[in-house]
Amino acid sequence: MKLIADLQQVFVVRYGDEDVTPVDPAQFAAPRGHFVVGYLDGVPVACGGWRAHDVADGSIRPGDAEIKRMYTVDSVRGRGLSRQVLAELESSARAVGRTRMILETGTRQPEAIGLYESSGYERIDNFGVYRDHPESLCFGKEL
């Protein structure tokens, strides 16, 4: 998908490499996941998904839904599309019994940090592939 390829290029520009977190598209299949694409005038411009976690691992708790691949193309930023994607992800996770949204982002993504903090997300202990990376920031929000 072009949006994911574009997002990976953002990571290359900001961090020097693509996100290497293992992600299998099958992880986003209902009811253990969900992925949405937002369109504007028939063109895909925003996306995001969540995948279920049911095994405790550091700050990950059974019942968590991890947000992955949230992205909005630069040309349409500021129109509230990422907030709409985030609201849909939270709603769909809540509907299938997920109890908390979690995510990992980085210090070089101030737009993402601003979105999550203004949407009620709070810092949690780092988890995943980048748990020990100095630029990694993890957030969570009870559903």
Side-chain angles (χ1 to χ4, degrees):
M1 163 188 264
K2 183 174 179 349
L3 289 175
I4 301 300
D6 291 349
L7 174 59
Q8 289 287 18
Q9 284 307 301
V10 169
F11 295 143
V12 169
V13 168
R14 294 187 186 191
Y15 297 101
D17 203 358
E18 292 185 351
D19 178 3
V20 298
T21 304
V23 175
D24 179 347
Q27 294 173 318
F28 298 94
R32 298 194 43 77
H34 187 64
F35 198 89
V36 296
V37 178
Y39 293 83
L40 191 59
D41 298 324
V43 177
V45 294
C47 66
W50 63 263
R51 60 185 179 180
H53 287 279
D54 288 317
V55 175
D57 182 12
S59 64
I60 295 175
R61 302 186 314 218
D64 282 350
E66 179 188 7
I67 296 173
K68 293 300 297 174
R69 305 302 187 242
M70 279 280 297
Y71 178 67
T72 302
V73 298
D74 288 340
S75 63
V76 298
R77 287 208 174 137
R79 297 186 188 189
L81 298 174
S82 50
R83 285 194 190 284
Q84 291 178 27
V85 169
L86 184 59
E88 167 58 24
L89 296 178
E90 291 174 354
S91 176
S92 63
R94 189 179 303 109
V96 295
R98 297 283 114 190
T99 56
R100 183 175 70 151
M101 299 300 283
I102 61 170
L103 64 98
E104 187 274 335
T105 189
T107 59
R108 297 183 190 189
Q109 294 168 263
E111 324 80 343
I113 295 166
L115 169 68
Y116 298 126
E117 288 181 337
S118 68
S119 298
Y121 286 74
E122 297 177 349
R123 286 290 309 278
I124 61 173
D125 289 341
N126 285 0
F127 63 85
V129 172
Y130 297 105
R131 97 179 36 183
D132 296 321
H133 196 284
E135 293 181 304
S136 177
L137 301 171
C138 291
F139 292 85
K141 178 182 177 181
E142 299 295 328
L143 293 175

